[in-house]
Amino acid sequence: MELTAEERAMLDGAEGAAVQRALAYQVEVGRFFGATRMVPITNAHMMGDIEVLGDAGLGFLQEMQRAGAKARIPLTTNARCIDFAWAERLGQDPAECAKERQVIAALQGMAVMTTDTCINYQTLYQPHLGERVAWGDTGTCIYANSVFGARTNFESGPAALAAAITGRTPDYGFQRDEHRRGGFIVDIGGATLGDLADWGALGKLVGEGHQSYTAVPVFTGFRRTPLADELKQLGCALASYGSMGMFHFVGLTPEAPTLEAAFHGAVPPGVERMAVDDAAIAAVYAGYDLGAGDAKLVVFSGPQLSLFELRDLARLFAGRQVARGTSVFVTSSNGVLSAARKLGYLAPLEAAGVCVLEGVCFYILQNLSQMREREGWRNMVSNSAKIVNIIGAHRFRTILRRTADCVEIACTGRLA
Amino acid sequence: MTALITLARGFGPVVEGEAIVSEEGFSPRYDLDRWSGVITKPGHRLEGLSIKDRICFFPTAKGGIAAGWAFFDIQAKGIAPRAFCFGVTNPVMVQGAVLAGIPITEGWSPDPRTVLRTGDWVRVDPGRLVVELLRRAG
């Protein structure tokens, strides 16, 4: 890799042990992918909570802090595994809660902004076309690349932290033009996509059949303007089911004003084309095993909800009650929930018996497997295709349903 | 020793171990119980199998930023595999493996599913970009 004089000095320890270690790590990762240089970045976003870090990860963060690590650009944090206000009620482990506080202290000691949200792209920072960032949580990456036209690879916790410590990232993958070219066409002219869950189902259909980080779908044919929350669900599902980091949406995303632009020139002859219509979406919903049909757990999370989603959910739950024996969880960020409280969107949810958690995502909750066993949860119903996919290791049977159907299931205790 | 499989990219030292050859992709977050090292996702084709000390051949990587920390975590817990060989991977797997010091490779020819079986004893050399067969499963 060709490093600048400044970068060589960093590798030699001129800026301290933490910078030296962070850059050496980045160079190793860059070398794997054939990167020939580092590129400067303006913003980073990292995952780091005790559930995923474990004791070893916590030790690593504390070691980096002791070595003098500091984020030199804004570095925000993803959703974490504990909402301290709920930890006791959820039966989370007090020792892990104490460690989570140590994680937060170590991060803050490195000038990390512990914002605890996976929807930074809706609530914190919207990078512009061509802006280079280092974001982690796959949903944040695909949104940055696709909707903003910014540039990022999937940057996991240690990679985003290293990027913020050095202010750089290796130049590979979606940092480079050639990887941003469309790969196949998805015609959605026959799909209504009237609910957020439909967008997730679309992402599942496209992602499952093309599991590759470098596959870039190009959506065409849609007849209205999708909303940010709809693109959020689409992106999260593509990233989750397909490990994808970017999509184009012709006439909408900044690098795809035309179909040709999405392909960086003429559309290759013989390019793969697929179509997703209402029947295909309906088949997704029909495809879930309902097991014994229990409806004891309904989750609105993964990704966290926007203010608009909370308003819609408040309207659906207004004047209703969550069924006896059913638990309902909603998660969002401090910023969104503060605004939602001020605007009166949380009161109907709380009156209905919905648990509103702050700064977390349901699927990474500390002790989730134990919680599932204690509560006798078997089925998990959600309007998020992403969480339906990723919670599997906790042994849930998962079922995707449209938003209003989820509310109906929650309030009747019946899974139709 | 003749190379059974050639690889496209690699990181880490030479390792030997028992192969797990998967038809399905992998995520330490979606599929793995990170306290036991056993694949627990219901319906995963390797459900019930431990990856500890194995050399894991996965055709694809699934989702998951969490691998960045998860590999470091399972390495510290002593339940990590000896190497990950992916057909197609994503940066997170590489970032995680480099942090944890676990050898990782991407790209293969031929496809291990055509020449290897779970239980075969293999050597992975990420520097020379080869996989060698040391002995067949009994």
Side-chain angles (χ1 to χ4, degrees):
Chain A
M1 198 181 293
E2 293 165 25
L3 300 179
T4 63
E6 186 187 1
E7 287 158 357
R8 284 197 301 275
M10 288 161 93
L11 266 189
D12 289 340
E15 296 191 33
V19 170
Q20 184 179 30
R21 182 170 180 183
L23 187 59
Y25 167 69
Q26 292 185 293
V27 167
E28 199 67 69
V29 172
R31 191 174 285 146
F32 183 96
F33 289 106
T36 58
R37 61 174 187 162
M38 303 292 291
V39 288
I41 55 161
T42 54
N43 189 273
H45 185 75
M46 70 173 280
M47 171 181 259
D49 61 86
I50 194 64
E51 198 267 345
V52 65
L53 284 160
D55 292 348
L58 170 58
F60 175 84
L61 291 182
Q62 290 172 328
E63 199 180 307
M64 288 300 280
Q65 188 196 358
R66 278 195 299 274
K70 287 271 185 249
R72 68 176 72 196
I73 54 165
L75 170 57
T76 50
T77 57
N78 210 45
R80 59 182 55 262
C81 64
I82 292 166
D83 174 349
F84 295 104
W86 277 87
E88 202 177 324
R89 276 175 283 180
L90 295 178
Q92 293 182 302
D93 184 342
E96 294 299 304
C97 291
K99 288 180 194 168
E100 184 75 335
R101 291 189 194 280
Q102 291 178 40
V103 170
I104 293 167
L107 291 172
Q108 291 179 346
M110 293 185 281
V112 178
M113 301 163 74
T114 48
T115 51
D116 308 338
T117 181
C118 60
I119 51 168
N120 61 325
Y121 51 91
Q122 291 188 306
T123 58
L124 298 175
Y125 191 67
Q126 293 80 38
H128 57 72
L129 180 64
E131 185 171 349
R132 297 181 192 276
V133 298
W135 281 10
D137 185 291
T138 57
T140 71
C141 297
I142 194 167
Y143 202 97
N145 281 323
S146 312
V147 182
F148 296 138
R151 295 183 176 219
T152 183
N153 285 301
F154 287 181
E155 300 262 14
S156 61
L161 177 64
I165 290 169
T166 66
R168 294 157 164 79
T169 197
D171 183 26
Y172 69 92
F174 291 108
Q175 295 291 349
R176 300 186 60 79
D177 289 343
E178 62 265 31
H179 293 290
R180 304 176 68 85
R181 186 183 301 129
F184 62 102
I185 295 171
V186 185
D187 184 345
I188 53 172
T192 307
L193 302 174
D195 186 81
L196 292 177
D198 297 346
W199 289 86
L202 171 62
K204 170 182 157 74
L205 288 168
V206 175
E208 271 183 343
H210 300 83
Q211 284 185 14
S212 170
Y213 182 63
T214 54
V216 180
V218 180
F219 293 93
T220 65
F222 197 55
R223 292 184 296 268
R224 69 171 168 85
T225 298
L227 305 176
D229 285 325
E230 295 173 326
L231 297 172
K232 168 168 91 170
Q233 288 291 338
L234 173 63
C236 283
L238 289 169
S240 176
Y241 291 87
S243 197
M244 290 173 179
M246 184 165 184
F247 66 87
H248 294 291
F249 202 116
V250 174
L252 176 98
T253 54
E255 293 172 61
T258 63
L259 189 60
E260 289 70 24
F263 282 91
H264 296 188
V267 179
V271 71
E272 182 193 343
R273 293 170 187 267
M274 66 180 285
V276 175
D277 58 11
D278 286 341
I281 299 288
V284 170
Y285 293 112
Y288 291 97
D289 172 9
L290 306 186
D294 70 90
K296 295 168 83 172
L297 177 64
V298 179
V299 173
F300 300 92
S301 179
Q304 292 178 344
L305 274 63
S306 72
L307 188 61
F308 308 104
E309 291 178 88
L310 277 169
R311 184 194 62 165
D312 292 346
L313 216 49
R315 286 176 177 169
L316 289 167
F317 273 106
R320 304 193 72 180
Q321 280 292 318
V322 171
R324 182 184 288 272
T326 296
S327 300
V328 180
F329 290 90
V330 166
T331 74
S332 191
S333 70
N334 171 280
V336 168
L337 291 177
S338 299
R341 180 155 318 274
K342 186 174 174 185
L343 291 166
Y345 303 154
L346 295 192
L349 295 176
E350 289 167 344
V354 172
C355 308
V356 181
L357 307 186
E358 179 184 307
V360 298
C361 182
F362 185 81
Y363 90 96
I364 59 171
L365 283 179
Q366 195 274 329
N367 254 357
L368 182 57
S369 287
Q370 292 86 336
M371 225 179 282
R372 182 186 64 71
E373 287 167 22
R374 193 183 60 233
E375 301 292 337
W377 293 330
R378 187 64 190 85
N379 289 341
M380 188 210 70
V381 182
S382 179
N383 69 342
S384 162
K386 171 177 176 168
I387 201 167
V388 160
N389 187 38
I390 61 185
I391 209 163
H394 290 288
R395 303 177 201 255
F396 286 92
R397 184 187 296 113
T398 59
I399 299 152
L400 181 71
R401 286 292 180 262
R402 292 190 171 108
T403 310
D405 295 338
C406 287
V407 173
E408 198 60 30
I409 291 163
C411 295
T412 61
R414 284 193 302 276
L415 178 56
Chain B
M1 183 67 58
T2 46
L4 185 70
I5 297 166
T6 56
L7 306 164
R9 279 169 285 286
F11 160 82
V14 179
V15 286
E16 288 181 14
E18 192 181 322
I20 286 182
V21 183
S22 177
E23 291 286 332
E24 185 174 344
F26 175 72
S27 156
R29 191 68 164 197
Y30 302 176
D31 301 327
L32 187 70
D33 180 312
R34 287 174 288 117
W35 289 264
S36 66
V38 173
I39 290 182
T40 51
K41 181 171 180 173
H44 194 286
R45 296 196 198 173
L46 299 181
E47 187 183 352
L49 207 59
S50 170
I51 63 169
K52 181 186 177 197
D53 289 335
R54 307 296 179 88
I55 291 183
C56 296
F57 293 84
F58 289 112
T60 57
K62 291 193 273 186
I65 285 292
W69 293 121
F71 289 167
F72 194 69
D73 178 41
I74 62 174
Q75 179 77 304
K77 286 174 178 158
I79 54 172
R82 292 191 186 155
F84 286 106
C85 299
F86 283 99
V88 181
T89 190
N90 71 33
V92 173
M93 301 290 162
V94 178
Q95 294 157 5
V98 170
L99 183 73
I102 301 172
I104 184 168
T105 71
E106 182 182 32
W108 52 39
S109 177
D111 188 321
R113 289 169 288 188
T114 63
V115 291
L116 271 184
R117 279 172 301 167
T118 293
D120 289 345
W121 195 268
V122 296
R123 179 188 292 143
V124 178
D125 187 334
R128 286 169 49 232
L129 294 173
V130 292
V131 176
E132 294 159 330
L133 176 67
L134 301 184
R135 61 177 182 274
R136 286 287 180 194

